[in-house]
Amino acid sequence: MNKGNLLFVVGARPNFIKIAPLCAELSKRSGLPFRIVHTGQHYDKQMSDVFFEELQIPQPDFHLNIGSGGHGQQSGAMMMKLEELCLGNAFSAIVVIGDVNSTLAGALVGAKLHIPVAHVEAGLRSFNRAMPEEVNRVVADHVSDWLFAPTQLAMHNLANEGLASRAYFSGDVMYDMILKGLELAREKSDILRKLELEPRQYYLATLHRPYNVDDPDCLKNIIGGLAGLEKPVVLAAHPRLRKNLSEFGIRANGNIRLTEPFGYLDFIMLEKEAVRVVTDSGGVQKEAFFLKTPCLTLRPETEWVETVDAGANVLVRQRTTQAILDAAGQSMSPRYDEQPYGGGNASERIVDVIESELYS
Ligand code: UD1
Ligand code: UDP
């Protein structure tokens, strides 16, 4: 029996959204205390604080204030501070989520200090090692003790890498979150009215993958495609996109409405009512599927293949203006009858396993 605190290691926008339902589940149960450490990977209010406030996530107990930097610098600095934190506190287990650098740092520190590590959203693979996230996923899975897979395909990927004995099918915590989030958003968000948008009369877009936004020619082509769509395109600008647009001198013109990143509730309301979502985000592809809004994904491959198999998500493989316009012009016949992402109780299943591993 281990009575110490669990430690959630979070740092980037998708981490916050994914721990919200886990924290809510833990708070319902007595005797499973937890702490949160924020690495500081994301720090703008609209990339961080807004989610703690809206989703009632307990404020982080520890801040590492690492900030931005190269991969080695950022992950290394996180590891040094996390190690110090873990040596000074008897955490019962570490929970890492998804595939960002904060995930990698948390998993490695836990493994080296022999603290059990739970990886939430395990088993995802794009099979593209050029993506920093793919490296983070593979490493996090291989050094973690409990692997919580959101889909059966993720279970299969883990088995293929010899990790079946540590794998648990939990379903997807983002599905748990959106079921609650949509109710809240309907109550609280009036973003369509604020932006003077009518349902299905606009596109919603996000872009932040280095693959798309770090190359000037490629970014120019993509912006050209979005600008030429026949309806307004709300482009919620991730700071990496905003920085690169300005550095490369690319103007988001035409039908594009460039905005700051939205809070979660406004964003899912916009996703729900859009005619289509255009994105390179992992989480946004899935949310579009949950909300039954067809999606165009500006990537050559995806980890979330179930959305493509259902006809709900089309991969736009070429980064040209014409490829985006062509994809937007094609009709789609999505099927939403199957729900490969679990039953909306992933958080319960994950906490059940952690509780039984630590307390029985
Ligand atoms: C990171 C993750 C990516 C995830 C994304 C979610 C890694 C390797 N990448 O990418 O997997 O999909 O978060 O959004 O972990 N910046 C700000 N303010 C902030 C945060 C970042 O201005 O609050 C700017 C900085 O210039 C920074 C750049 O954005 O250099 C990139 O931030 P970083 O966290 O390194 O990578 P993301 O592109 O956000
Ligand atoms: N999101 C948000 N506001 C925005 C854009 C995205 O709240 O302006 C949310 C979105 O609902 C999803 C998550 O951010 O839950 C996805 O994170 P992101 O695209 O940054 O990262 P990825 O999923 O690609 O790792």
Side-chain angles (χ1 to χ4, degrees), residues 126-137:
S126 66
F127 301 102
N128 174 0
R129 288 277 172 104
M131 285 179 78
E133 295 81 5
E134 183 75 354
V135 178
N136 292 346
R137 291 179 195 124

Side-chain angles (χ1 to χ4, degrees), residues 187-206:
E187 235 174 76
K188 299 204 166 157
S189 170
D190 65 346
I191 192 67
L192 265 79
R193 193 189 53 75
K194 265 198 206 148
L195 298 182
E196 299 181 349
L197 293 167
E198 293 296 327
R200 271 150 301 283
Q201 295 306 316
Y202 65 93
Y203 290 86
L204 177 65
T206 77

Side-chain angles (χ1 to χ4, degrees), residues 6-308:
L6 286 177
L7 181 70
F8 284 101
V9 179
V10 294
R13 172 166 70 186
N15 290 161
F16 311 135
I17 291 156
K18 291 168 197 173
I19 65 161
L22 286 164
C23 292
E25 182 61 32
L26 281 165
S27 302
K28 275 197 234 156
R29 308 189 187 198
S30 56
L32 251 184
F34 66 92
R35 297 281 182 266
I36 298 174
V37 56
H38 190 319
T39 63
Q41 178 171 353
H42 287 173
Y43 40 84
D44 293 347
K45 183 172 189 305
Q46 283 302 103
M47 294 297 289
S48 176
D49 292 1
V50 65
F51 302 105
F52 286 84
E53 287 158 22
E54 274 190 346
L55 306 181
Q56 297 180 351
I57 305 166
Q59 284 302 314
D61 302 276
F62 313 99
H63 281 276
L64 305 183
N65 296 314
I66 300 300
S68 305
H71 288 279
Q73 188 197 349
Q74 189 179 54
S75 315
M78 284 174 193
M79 286 181 68
M80 282 164 65
K81 288 204 179 175
L82 276 172
E83 184 174 67
E84 210 178 297
L85 180 72
C86 291
L87 288 172
N89 293 267
F91 297 119
S92 56
I94 287 180
V95 184
V96 296
I97 306 98
D99 55 16
V100 300
N101 284 348
S102 304
T103 314
L104 175 78
L108 283 174
V109 167
K112 295 279 178 132
L113 294 179
H114 307 158
I115 303 168
V117 179
H119 184 203
V120 173
E121 208 179 75
L124 272 293
R125 295 291 181 269
S126 66
F127 301 102
N128 174 0
R129 288 277 172 104
M131 285 179 78
E133 295 81 5
E134 183 75 354
V135 178
N136 292 346
R137 291 179 195 124
V138 171
V139 175
D141 282 344
H142 281 261
V143 301
S144 294
D145 299 272
W146 309 313
L147 303 174
F148 294 107
T151 61
Q152 290 300 343
L153 179 61
M155 290 292 284
H156 177 78
N157 290 337
L158 291 170
N160 274 348
E161 293 177 26
L163 299 172
S165 63
R166 298 185 238 158
Y168 302 85
F169 173 74
S170 57
D172 196 318
V173 286
M174 286 189 79
Y175 185 46
D176 297 13
M177 184 62 246
I178 211 152
L179 294 175
K180 287 189 201 140
L182 193 57
E183 263 177 56
L184 262 182
R186 285 201 169 107
E187 235 174 76
K188 299 204 166 157
S189 170
D190 65 346
I191 192 67
L192 265 79
R193 193 189 53 75
K194 265 198 206 148
L195 298 182
E196 299 181 349
L197 293 167
E198 293 296 327
R200 271 150 301 283
Q201 295 306 316
Y202 65 93
Y203 290 86
L204 177 65
T206 77
L207 280 176
H208 71 272
R209 296 272 160 230
Y211 166 78
N212 285 327
V213 305
D214 283 5
D215 178 88
D217 291 333
C218 174
L219 183 56
K220 204 168 159 202
N221 290 346
I222 294 175
I223 293 295
L226 296 179
L229 292 175
E230 80 292 359
K231 291 183 168 62
V233 179
V234 178
L235 175 54
H238 185 284
R240 184 189 280 275
L241 170 66
R242 172 87 63 182
K243 186 175 85 158
N244 289 353
L245 285 174
S246 131
E247 216 169 287
F248 305 151
I250 298 172
R251 280 196 39 217
N253 51 11
N255 261 344
I256 298 178
R257 288 170 67 174
L258 194 71
T259 72
E260 288 303 303
F262 294 96
Y264 180 75
L265 300 182
D266 283 347
F267 191 76
I268 61 172
M269 217 53 221
L270 285 166
E271 277 179 304
K272 181 162 173 29
E273 302 295 357
V275 62
R276 283 189 190 177
V277 164
V278 186
T279 192
D280 58 11
S281 155
V284 172
Q285 290 172 60
K286 246 183 323 170
E287 286 174 347
F289 177 79
F290 299 150
L291 296 168
K292 304 189 172 145
T293 302
C295 182
L296 305 179
T297 295
L298 306 184
R299 280 184 47 195
E301 77 286 299
T302 180
E303 307 76 48
W304 305 107
V305 286
E306 302 81 6
T307 60
V308 175

Side-chain angles (χ1 to χ4, degrees), residues 302-331:
T302 180
E303 307 76 48
W304 305 107
V305 286
E306 302 81 6
T307 60
V308 175
D309 293 345
N313 187 10
V314 168
L315 297 177
V316 184
R317 292 189 169 87
Q318 281 181 313
R319 291 169 293 170
T320 62
T321 295
Q322 197 55 45
I324 294 173
L325 296 173
D326 288 349
Q330 271 174 22
S331 69

